[in-house]
Amino acid sequence: MRAVIVDGPHRIRVETRPDPALPGPDGAIVAVTAAGICGSDLHFYEGEIPVPGSVALGHEAIGTVVEAGPHVRTVRVGDRVMVSSVAGCGACPGCATRDPVTCSAGLQIFGSGVLGGAQADLLAVPAADFQLLKIPPEISTEQAVLLTDNLATGWAAARRADIPFGGTVAVIGLGAVGLCALRSALAQGAATVFAVDRVTGRRERAAAWGATPIPSPAAESIIDATGGRGADAVIDAVGTDASMTDALNAVRTAGTVSVVGLHGLQPFPLPALPCLLRSITLRFTTAPVQRTWPELIPLLTSGRLDVDGIFTTGLPLDEAAEGYAIAGSRCGEQVKILLTP
């Protein structure tokens, strides 16, 4: 099979590797039909997360089941399925809550050096009944790929931001996760969403969806726009020192900062005393992907939640290097890349 490999900064290639074996009697093999390039993948691509040798990339995939173990009950060969980017054992008390983050054996993520990469022809999926969901016919390819990670992450970020009905939210970072968080915040009752990014084109895209665009850094503008109070909630979909500092400065006293951006390996210099005195709630979240599906799928099929326009380019798998270069440019015209084996 072919797989997208990174073996150093800006070094992407498509390599032929052996087909994966069935990962146990409860596992499945999925023939990937579409895979997304995530902002998290760029941390490997740009060298921010060291790569030990080479890593098969990708954790956002949908496809068709081509082999299933004898213990698999919820999907069968021929089913069109989505694959949760975050994996659990599927059998422990933590996984019983449908949240792989709380798995007793520890969460695993596809395409990070342990489980296989989803940007490939084939993907081995352990605990298939937990990791896989048959895609409803009303769900499009792009919606299904977003459900494997970005939309689940944006939805969870908004849920954990304590957004009051009619409240004010700021979303920092308008990549795919940030745009999903923006749409989720509106669906969850926010009246005003400030859309923060340094790229003009991305702010304009958010403005077309009903947000108020503000260039980064945004704290001063948000304080002014809210009469000196600050936003009720801030969602940080970037996760750098600068973005988290901006978020803490932009949130109101007793407000909530919800971080889903992937921070680097160095510690963040948290201003603990001001946070304490202002009673700030600070949350970091890896999305409970499987738990979000019963909420998100009905919202998508009913039209109450719209994620159209987040994928901006589609490329064949063999052109993955070009896809990564486009994603890494972070320009206003491009948001998310879809790879098709």
Side-chain angles (χ1 to χ4, degrees):
M1 71 168 191
R2 297 168 301 160
V4 176
I5 306 297
V6 61
D7 55 12
H10 302 280
R11 294 171 57 181
I12 294 287
R13 55 191 168 85
V14 178
E15 178 180 282
T16 300
R17 292 193 163 189
D19 291 353
L22 192 70
D26 65 346
I29 303 293
V30 173
V32 178
T33 55
I37 295 178
C38 180
S40 300
D41 296 325
L42 296 181
H43 290 276
F44 292 101
Y45 172 67
E46 295 171 342
E48 295 173 359
I49 297 178
V51 175
S54 62
V55 171
L57 288 173
H59 53 267
E60 304 174 351
I62 66 170
T64 302
V65 177
V66 294
E67 187 177 0
H71 295 173
V72 177
R73 297 288 180 263
T74 60
V75 298
R76 61 185 179 180
V77 171
D79 283 345
R80 179 174 174 254
V81 294
M82 63 182 79
V83 186
S84 171
S85 58
V86 187
C89 73
C92 69
C95 289
T97 70
R98 306 297 294 166
D99 183 358
V101 178
T102 62
C103 177
S104 299
L107 68 86
Q108 295 184 5
I109 298 175
F110 289 95
S112 59
V114 180
L115 297 178
Q119 294 163 12
D121 289 314
L122 297 170
L123 181 64
V125 182
D129 287 337
F130 185 61
Q131 260 70 255
L132 299 180
L133 182 68
K134 188 175 179 180
I135 301 173
E138 304 89 346
I139 294 293
S140 70
T141 292
E142 293 184 355
Q143 289 173 331
V145 175
L146 289 173
L147 281 165
T148 68
D149 179 13
N150 288 173
L151 181 54
T153 299
W155 182 259
R159 292 277 273 185
R160 288 172 57 80
D162 301 326
I163 300 169
F165 286 107
T168 300
V169 180
V171 177
I172 299 176
L174 303 176
V177 170
L179 291 175
C180 286
L182 185 155
R183 297 284 185 95
S184 297
L186 290 169
Q188 292 176 30
T192 302
V193 179
F194 296 110
V196 181
D197 201 286
R198 60 182 177 82
V199 179
T200 301
R202 294 194 170 193
R203 297 196 303 270
E204 292 173 346
R205 185 182 301 271
W209 294 342
T212 302
I214 294 181
S216 178
E220 184 176 347
S221 298
I222 290 170
I223 295 297
D224 288 345
T226 56
R229 185 167 184 261
D232 295 309
V234 181
I235 298 170
D236 180 3
V238 181
T240 63
D241 286 2
S243 65
M244 286 196 283
T245 299
D246 202 26
L248 290 169
N249 289 335
V251 74
R252 66 167 172 81
T253 295
T256 299
V257 173
S258 176
V259 181
V260 288
L262 186 62
H263 192 267
L265 300 179
Q266 297 301 314
F268 171 60
L270 177 71
L273 182 58
C275 290
L276 175 82
L277 295 175
R278 298 177 60 218
S279 294
I280 301 300
T281 297
L282 177 61
R283 292 195 173 111
F284 294 81
T285 303
T286 295
V289 178
Q290 292 90 326
R291 186 187 288 174
T292 69
W293 288 340
E295 298 173 332
L296 289 170
I297 289 173
L299 289 171
L300 289 170
T301 57
S302 68
R304 295 285 300 276
L305 181 62
D306 177 16
V307 291
D308 290 347
I310 289 177
F311 279 100
T312 50
T313 296
L315 293 170
L317 188 71
D318 286 333
E319 296 179 21
E322 179 183 348
Y324 271 86
I326 293 171
S329 72
R330 296 177 175 84
C331 65
E333 295 73 29
Q334 300 289 347
V335 178
K336 191 166 181 66
I337 313 301
L338 187 71
L339 298 177
T340 53

